[in-house]
Amino acid sequence: MNALHYVTAQLARRPLQTALSILLLALGVATLVFVLLVQNQMTRNLTRDAAGVDMVVGAKGSPLQLILSAVYHVDVPTGNVPLSAVETLRANKLVASAMPLSLGDNYRGFRIVGAEPALLAHYGGTLAQGALWQGRLQAVIGAEVARTTGLTVGGAFFGAHGLSADGPVHDDAEYRVVGVLAPTGTVLDRLVLTDLESVWFVHEGEATDPTEREILMAEREVTAILVRYASPLAAAILPRQVNADPKLQAAVPANEVARLFAVVGAGIDTMRAFAAILFGAALLALFVALMNALEERRYDIAILRLLGASRARVAALLLLEAWMLAAAALLLGVLLAMVGVAVVGQWLAQARSFPLSPFDWPAEVGLVLLLAAGVATLAALLPAWRASRMQVHDALAQG
């Protein structure tokens, strides 16, 4: 019988202890891998979507809410601001660019965003099909929108009021898809883009009277303005200038994301602590299981020694047993983590939020796997050493 068959047979003799050792280590691995997968992808998504946006201008309210709604499109806007604020910012020498956004409607949960073509250039968006909008009620959809809804160039849809998919439908304003974007890996993939004029038209209707039209144009608003600084000096001056206006609020994505990470970080640290406890429990359970196995196999080990097995080979058998347990735990732990990420990713996809993939692995996952193998080896060192030092005649005498 070779070493692998021998160890497998020994593990099968005590299925409950074997299963417990595997389960405890697997749970520790699953927790750490899950945290790493989620944290890595969320951090990358948040950083990537906010790249190049130095400041967001919107209505007074929560700065974090403004960032989440205008940059990440996962929250309700704080309100609207006058359209004139866009031109005021563009005239400011501290501003390199100011991109207005108009929100308020959605299609099947995907947000309809009134914007300018500069927004596509900002995120590196390119057309996979069709062209950019050229007139009213023409839409360009992101790759995820196209994949989920089945819309293609030439397709038509009606937007629903608000940011919930079950809002009242604007059935008097039909959008037509004129372009589909190639995947960018950014928030652009989850947006339905159109021009600002279309958003205003859907909510204002057609004004035939010239006086009424002038009034509507004078009262037009946008939801938020994405600003890029012209110089480092703007970071110290521009937010204070904006906040001095009673109708406007300036929020800096870098600051708000840092606060968000501080809040989320507490939960991540808790999960890591839980994983550390599980690793400790797995180490103890594996150590006890191997020590018990050693006592149960004293006679078997003595026979092996009589048959010519060296001390090193006997120790290697205990180490092999620990490594086989670790391999089974790693496989189970990784599988559990991937299932967990897939479930959370599906939930986020249904909420039209950040994408998560169970197959997007950071390099740190390799360290977790090495850690698990190290824990198993550490637990087996003392039992392996004791097995190699066992006195053959004493074991045989005890039967």
Side-chain angles (χ1 to χ4, degrees):
M1 180 181 293
N2 62 32
L4 186 59
H5 288 165
Y6 174 81
V7 172
T8 303
Q10 294 297 334
L11 289 174
R13 288 174 56 185
R14 42 190 178 87
L16 184 60
Q17 286 186 335
T18 298
L20 178 61
S21 300
I22 291 174
L23 182 60
L24 281 175
L25 190 54
L27 289 176
V29 171
T31 303
L32 276 181
V33 172
F34 176 84
V35 168
L36 286 174
L37 291 178
V38 173
Q39 182 184 22
N40 178 265
Q41 294 182 55
M42 292 294 286
T43 301
R44 187 178 62 215
N45 290 338
L46 289 170
T47 303
R48 180 180 55 206
D49 289 346
V53 180
D54 297 317
M55 183 180 72
V56 179
V57 176
K60 296 290 188 184
S62 165
L64 179 58
Q65 181 182 349
L66 177 57
I67 297 299
L68 291 176
S69 63
V71 177
Y72 303 114
H73 298 275
V74 293
D75 203 348
V76 179
T78 55
N80 291 324
V81 298
L83 179 61
S84 58
V86 179
E87 297 307 320
T88 301
L89 284 168
R90 286 173 172 170
N92 194 316
K93 294 182 179 180
L94 297 174
V95 175
S97 66
M99 296 180 288
L101 304 178
S102 283
L103 310 176
D105 292 339
N106 78 91
Y107 174 63
R108 292 177 57 177
F110 292 106
R111 305 204 172 185
I112 299 173
V113 180
E116 297 174 346
L119 184 69
L120 277 71
H122 172 78
Y123 286 110
T126 57
L127 287 164
Q129 304 173 31
L132 289 181
W133 59 83
Q134 300 295 325
R136 183 186 291 174
L137 295 180
Q138 294 182 351
V140 173
I141 61 175
E144 181 63 19
V145 180
R147 187 189 68 82
T148 303
T149 65
L151 284 172
T152 58
V153 173
F157 64 93
F158 295 98
H161 185 67
L163 303 179
S164 174
D166 56 0
V169 177
H170 294 290
D171 53 11
D172 56 344
E174 184 183 60
Y175 284 96
R176 187 158 298 276
V177 178
V178 296
V180 177
L181 296 175
T184 63
T186 69
V187 67
L188 212 60
D189 294 343
R190 309 190 303 273
L191 300 181
V192 176
L193 300 170
T194 186
D195 64 341
L196 295 166
E197 186 70 33
S198 295
V199 176
W200 293 327
F201 170 76
V202 169
H203 295 89
E204 296 172 359
E206 186 71 68
T208 56
D209 182 73
T211 304
E212 182 183 354
R213 189 182 302 115
E214 289 181 9
I215 294 174
L216 288 175
M217 293 182 64
E219 294 179 348
R220 279 180 172 170
E221 298 176 318
V222 293
T223 307
I225 309 166
L226 308 183
V227 176
R228 184 165 57 87
Y229 296 148
S231 70
L233 184 62
I237 299 175
L238 199 55
R240 287 187 295 176
Q241 288 182 350
V242 171
N243 287 327
D245 190 312
K247 295 182 179 180
L248 303 180
Q249 170 188 212
V252 178
N255 296 343
E256 300 308 318
V257 170
R259 292 192 184 99
L260 182 62
F261 281 149
V263 174
V264 175
I268 291 175
D269 290 341
T270 300
M271 293 190 70
R272 284 177 174 165
F274 177 65
I277 293 172
L278 287 176
F279 267 118
L283 176 63
L284 181 60
L286 189 55
F287 173 76
V288 171
L290 292 175
M291 289 297 290
N292 288 338
L294 174 61
E295 294 302 319
E296 293 172 1
R297 300 181 206 158
R298 291 177 64 87
Y299 187 80
D300 294 344
I301 292 174
I303 296 298
L304 286 174
R305 292 292 308 282
L306 285 176
L307 293 175
S310 64
R311 294 179 183 271
R313 181 171 177 78
V314 170
L317 289 174
L318 267 292
L319 287 173
L320 178 60
E321 184 172 338
W323 290 334
M324 288 182 65
L325 288 171
L330 290 177
L331 182 62
L332 178 59
V334 168
L335 181 61
L336 289 174
M338 293 178 69
V339 169
V341 173
V343 170
V344 174
Q346 181 64 25
W347 176 76
L348 290 175
Q350 291 175 353
R352 311 307 187 208
S353 187
F354 303 102
L356 280 181
S357 169
F359 304 104
D360 188 353
W361 285 27
E364 292 84 353
V365 171
L367 297 178
V368 174
L369 304 184
L370 289 176
L371 175 62
V375 166
T377 303
L378 184 62
L381 286 179
L382 181 58
W385 180 81
R386 289 193 61 181
S388 69
R389 308 307 299 174
M390 183 182 296
Q391 297 299 322
V392 176
H393 61 277
D394 290 342
L396 291 174
Q398 294 175 9

